[in-house]
Amino acid sequence: MSADDRLPRILVIDDSRMVRASIVKHIRGRFEVREEPDGEAGWEALLVDPGIELVLTDIGMPRLDGYGLLERIRASKVSRVRELPVVIISGDEDESARERALALGANGFIPKGSGSVELLATLTSLVRLAKAQSELALSRVALAQHSPVDPESGLATSAYLEHHGAQVVAEARRRHADIGAMVVEVDQYDELNARYGSHVVQLILRKLGKLITGRIRTEDTLSQHSAAQFALLSPGIDRVSSCAFGLRVRTSVEKLVMAYRDERIRVTLSIGVANALADQRTAVSDLLALAVERAAQARAAGGNRVFADAGEVDPADIERQLARMPSIDNVLRQLRAGGRGEVCAQLPGVIATLMPLLELIESQHQVGLPLARLKAIQKKGGDDYDDGEATRTSV
């Protein structure tokens, strides 16, 4: 028998053998049935039997009742189990029982003694709906594999981030340029999920994704790295600029207040930063792994922090390093005023400030700018600084 010809498999859970036999009699020939005598046995069957497509369960049962089983199913970390259609069949026709079952995530409620027509219609429609949703999910996965954009989040797909990362590495090697990688993790993700539900948390993540997207350049790539994490890849960005951007994102989200049903929701972030030159890593996978590790360090330190190669990033230190970058307007005014010697003393910093622009010009027009020589001048001048760091414009 082919997969298309196979009867849908339904798990029937009831502590009464007679009730189970009656249900089987009503649906025989339309469904394949697996029977279990209580909620605990039903739960174990769900974990080991991936062929089950729908659960039909009684409420009052030993060990684990129908409500408890339903709660466990909807809280499962296994998507196959969590998304199964569940129908409650009960001798209790009290409206409060129906309301409680539906509130816990039941897809239907059928009183015992209902005719076979109602039972078959409910089960058939739910199985068809579940199959259609599964096919839609598979089509979205297939689309995502061939598209640079995830249709759900609107961000780059993980596959595109990996593909684009290889191009970024090749370009960086050719230009002797830096690469910034950042992982942004939502603090207390599990607690938010438990309190507000996955739907609300997804809305929060979308808002955060839009917030970050609005602050990055066109050449940067943002992807959802995991359920609670975003990954950002930024070519041509050095350590100081990466840290400065991470601090700005953290502060922006810290001040952000979201409302849900008249409740104010505040979210904080743990951010990990890695850079190719500072960390001596060239593979994007290595940079992202470092950033993930540092985001975990930020979370372990209490969250709402940015960690880089030297541990927690100090905003005051980053401000001091950014302040060393000369203002191009001031430099031009000094030149016009005849202060050539003063400008010459600042040339390494000027080169560092202009380097992203020079690299962009070279990448777009290949005019033969001596980038390697300019970087050598920049580095030589940077040796006079306390920490030897030269910075570029931030993201």
Side-chain angles (χ1 to χ4, degrees):
M1 180 182 295
S2 67
D4 292 336
D5 296 330
R6 181 180 60 80
L7 295 177
R9 184 180 301 174
I10 291 181
L11 175 61
V12 176
I13 310 171
D14 198 297
D15 56 337
S16 169
R17 184 177 297 176
M18 292 182 61
V19 170
R20 297 200 306 271
S22 175
I23 293 173
V24 171
K25 179 181 178 182
H26 282 309
I27 65 177
R28 181 182 292 122
R30 299 283 294 276
F31 300 95
E32 178 186 339
V33 179
R34 174 167 181 163
E35 301 178 44
E36 297 296 345
D38 58 64
E40 197 65 53
W43 172 252
E44 293 171 1
L46 287 174
L47 297 180
V48 300
D49 190 345
I52 295 171
E53 298 178 48
L54 183 143
V55 178
L56 181 62
T57 180
D58 187 20
I59 293 179
M61 297 179 293
R63 295 211 295 168
L64 182 66
D65 65 14
Y67 294 133
L69 175 63
L70 182 55
E71 287 182 306
R72 195 178 289 183
I73 290 173
R74 292 296 176 243
S76 174
K77 294 183 178 179
V78 180
S79 60
R80 170 184 63 82
V81 175
R82 184 176 63 251
E83 296 167 6
L84 277 173
V86 179
V87 176
I88 300 293
I89 184 165
S90 175
D92 187 352
E93 298 187 29
D94 183 2
E95 188 63 26
S96 63
R98 178 191 296 268
E99 291 177 357
R100 182 181 177 188
L102 296 178
L104 290 173
N107 300 90
F109 188 99
I110 301 176
K112 287 182 179 178
S114 298
S116 60
V117 174
E118 180 182 355
L119 179 61
L120 281 171
T122 299
L123 300 182
T124 300
S125 63
L126 286 175
V127 167
R128 285 177 178 171
L129 177 61
K131 184 176 181 181
Q133 290 174 334
S134 176
E135 291 173 349
L136 178 60
L138 289 174
S139 67
R140 284 175 174 168
V141 170
L143 177 63
Q145 290 174 343
H146 296 87
S147 170
V149 178
D150 186 318
E152 288 290 328
S153 66
L155 306 178
T157 63
S158 297
Y160 177 76
L161 182 68
E162 182 177 344
H163 170 72
H164 181 59
Q167 295 177 322
V168 166
V169 167
E171 181 72 6
R173 286 174 178 168
R174 186 172 65 84
R175 293 163 42 195
H176 307 285
D178 207 347
I179 305 169
M182 184 182 301
V183 167
V184 179
E185 180 175 328
V186 177
D187 291 330
Q188 298 178 327
Y189 173 82
D190 290 338
E191 290 85 343
L192 289 170
N193 226 356
R195 180 167 183 174
Y196 299 107
S198 60
H199 175 66
V200 174
V201 172
Q202 287 305 310
L203 293 177
I204 292 173
L205 289 171
R206 288 184 187 179
K207 190 172 187 67
L208 294 178
K210 290 180 179 178
L211 183 147
I212 299 172
T213 300
R215 287 163 169 75
I216 61 178
R217 310 165 305 171
T218 54
E219 59 265 44
D220 298 331
T221 306
L222 182 67
S223 172
Q224 188 154 353
H225 194 60
S226 69
Q229 293 178 333
F230 297 97
L232 176 64
L233 192 64
S234 301
I237 295 300
D238 67 7
R239 174 189 173 277
V240 175
S241 298
S242 293
C243 292
F245 180 66
L247 289 169
R248 291 200 299 273
V249 170
R250 185 204 65 165
T251 301
S252 296
V253 173
E254 185 182 22
K255 296 177 179 177
L256 185 66
V257 179
M258 289 168 277
Y260 175 68
R261 292 182 178 176
D262 298 326
E263 185 172 354
R264 294 159 68 88
I265 304 174
R266 290 187 178 274
V267 176
T268 59
L269 304 176
S270 292
I271 299 177
V273 173
N275 280 84
L277 297 182
D279 292 301
Q280 295 297 300
R281 306 290 175 91
T282 55
V284 170
S285 58
D286 290 343
L287 285 171
L288 288 176
L290 268 179
V292 168
E293 180 182 325
R294 289 166 184 169
Q297 292 171 355
R299 184 179 68 250
N304 198 26
R305 288 168 166 80
V306 179
F307 269 60
D309 55 322
E312 183 172 357
V313 175
D314 180 4
D317 179 57
I318 295 299
E319 284 297 323
R320 283 194 297 270
Q321 295 188 57
L322 289 174
R324 292 178 179 143
M325 297 173 62
S327 164
I328 299 302
D329 288 339
N330 289 338
V331 168
L332 292 175
R333 279 195 292 269
Q334 286 176 327
L335 272 179
R336 294 189 192 104
R340 182 181 178 89
E342 295 176 5
V343 171
C344 285
Q346 300 178 65
L347 282 180
V350 173
I351 293 171
T353 303
L354 292 176
M355 187 56 70
L357 175 60
L358 298 175
E359 289 176 339
L360 177 61
I361 293 172
E362 182 62 27
S363 66
Q364 294 297 312
H365 302 289
Q366 290 82 46
V367 295
L369 292 174
L371 295 179
R373 175 60 183 150
L374 288 170
K375 287 179 181 178
I377 297 171
Q378 170 191 333
K379 184 177 186 302
K380 183 178 179 181
D383 291 338
D384 295 331
Y385 293 159
D386 293 337
D387 56 7
E389 286 285 350
T391 58
R392 300 181 188 155
T393 51
S394 57
V395 179

